[in-house]
Amino acid sequence: MKGVIMDNIAIDGPAGAGKSTIARLAAGKLGFIYVDTGAMYRAMALYFIRNGIDTEDESAVSAACEDINISIEYKDGKQEVILNGENVNAFIRTEKVSLVTSDISKYVSVRAKLLGLQRSIAATKNIIMDGRDIGTCVLPDAKTKIYLTASADERARRRYKEQKEKGISCDLEKIKQDIIKRDEQDMNRKTAPLKQAEDAVFLDTSDLSVKEAVNAVINIYRTKET
Ligand code: DC
């Protein structure tokens, strides 16, 4: 595939903005593969938690990175994250894993571990990849870049509703505070912070339905295509 430029769409934005849902549905409509990079960082955080690695200690985290192997597979069109041979999709969505992931994603060693994997996936397929640094760092040449966001209140409400629907008891204010904390960490870290790429289109989904947001993403892609 050398020399072929793939038709990639990079979507970045803060926690809970609906990136995954919107990107997955848009990918389905366009016949693209959806790549969730947050899940890869989450799998790394899960490893550190399970193995009692002190995530405040950068050298301990960097040393542990040597023992981690992450890959992804697709089963019935759904991305599965494989951590050292184990499918860990069922374990990476807890609030604890969310917060630890935000903590450890500031380390260069953690990011370096995943960058090659993310770029190699994007080099061979048409993909929609979402995360925090896709347009700015992972795929700076992506033709379509979108910065997808929503107000913190709306993001908290959506997460609350999602958790309730899964039967998980939760507190709206606590969810909002966790979201604000993750925004703070993700936007202010030194390495690959969350920010809008200069050539990204800003898309605020606070007042959009999922369907409207998916259509907006597809329309942005179509305008870039011509
Ligand atoms: O998208 P998510 O909520 O699953 O991401 C979890 C955390 O992973 C997020 O708080 C920051 C980190 N992350 C990152 O630093 N870079 C990415 N490309 C994706 C996620």
Side-chain angles (χ1 to χ4, degrees):
M1 275 287 167
K2 213 171 162 199
V4 178
I5 309 249
M6 304 314 298
D7 207 0
N8 294 328
I9 302 177
I11 301 186
D12 293 300
K19 296 187 301 294
S20 325
T21 308
I22 294 161
R24 190 169 33 79
L25 292 170
K29 288 198 167 198
L30 292 170
F32 282 28
I33 305 276
Y34 167 53
V35 185
D36 171 3
T37 62
M40 301 173 187
Y41 285 95
R42 286 170 179 273
M44 295 202 60
L46 182 69
Y47 179 91
F48 301 134
I49 295 168
R50 282 179 171 178
N51 290 278
I53 310 292
D54 176 4
T55 53
E56 296 289 303
D57 180 347
E58 184 169 2
S59 49
V61 168
S62 300
C65 280
E66 305 281 320
D67 303 322
I68 301 178
N69 185 38
I70 306 273
S71 58
I72 60 168
E73 288 175 4
Y74 286 86
K75 208 163 138 201
D76 302 326
K78 192 166 160 267
Q79 176 183 300
E80 314 265 5
V81 186
I82 313 298
L83 166 66
N84 293 343
E86 178 192 356
N87 178 342
V88 291
N89 265 32
F91 310 109
I92 58 175
R93 300 282 160 202
T94 63
E95 287 303 310
K96 170 147 175 89
V97 171
S98 299
L99 289 172
V100 173
T101 307
S102 181
D103 284 341
I104 55 102
S105 57
K106 66 177 182 265
Y107 296 129
V108 174
S109 52
V110 170
R111 307 201 70 81
K113 186 99 201 166
L114 299 174
L115 185 64
L117 170 66
Q118 293 162 359
R119 285 190 175 151
S120 65
I121 297 166
T124 55
K125 296 178 188 78
N126 287 335
I127 50 117
I128 300 191
M129 183 176 280
D130 82 359
R132 302 294 185 286
D133 62 335
I134 311 305
T136 52
C137 182
V138 180
L139 304 175
D141 297 328
K143 202 156 57 169
T144 309
K145 297 183 186 178
I146 299 172
Y147 188 84
L148 197 148
T149 189
S151 69
D153 279 323
E154 181 56 26
R155 288 185 282 136
R157 265 197 299 274
R158 289 177 189 171
R159 183 57 55 95
Y160 177 79
K161 191 166 163 257
E162 210 176 83
Q163 298 288 84
K164 281 274 172 191
E165 279 166 7
K166 285 187 201 156
I168 300 168
S169 84
C170 54
D171 175 70
L172 181 60
E173 191 49 35
K174 165 90 172 56
I175 290 179
K176 187 176 162 193
Q177 289 319 315
D178 285 352
I179 278 181
I180 291 171
K181 181 169 180 224
R182 283 172 67 196
D183 285 357
E184 237 278 307
Q185 293 192 153
D186 295 345
M187 288 173 178
N188 294 307
R189 67 180 177 222
K190 281 202 207 81
T191 316
L194 167 63
K195 65 169 189 235
Q196 184 177 349
E198 275 177 21
D199 49 350
V201 176
F202 183 85
L203 178 60
D204 186 335
T205 68
S206 303
D207 298 320
L208 299 184
S209 66
V210 170
K211 195 172 168 202
E212 287 168 332
V214 171
N215 286 337
V217 166
I218 291 173
N219 287 338
I220 293 166
Y221 166 72
R222 298 260 188 250
T223 55
K224 299 278 170 182
E225 205 183 19
T226 49

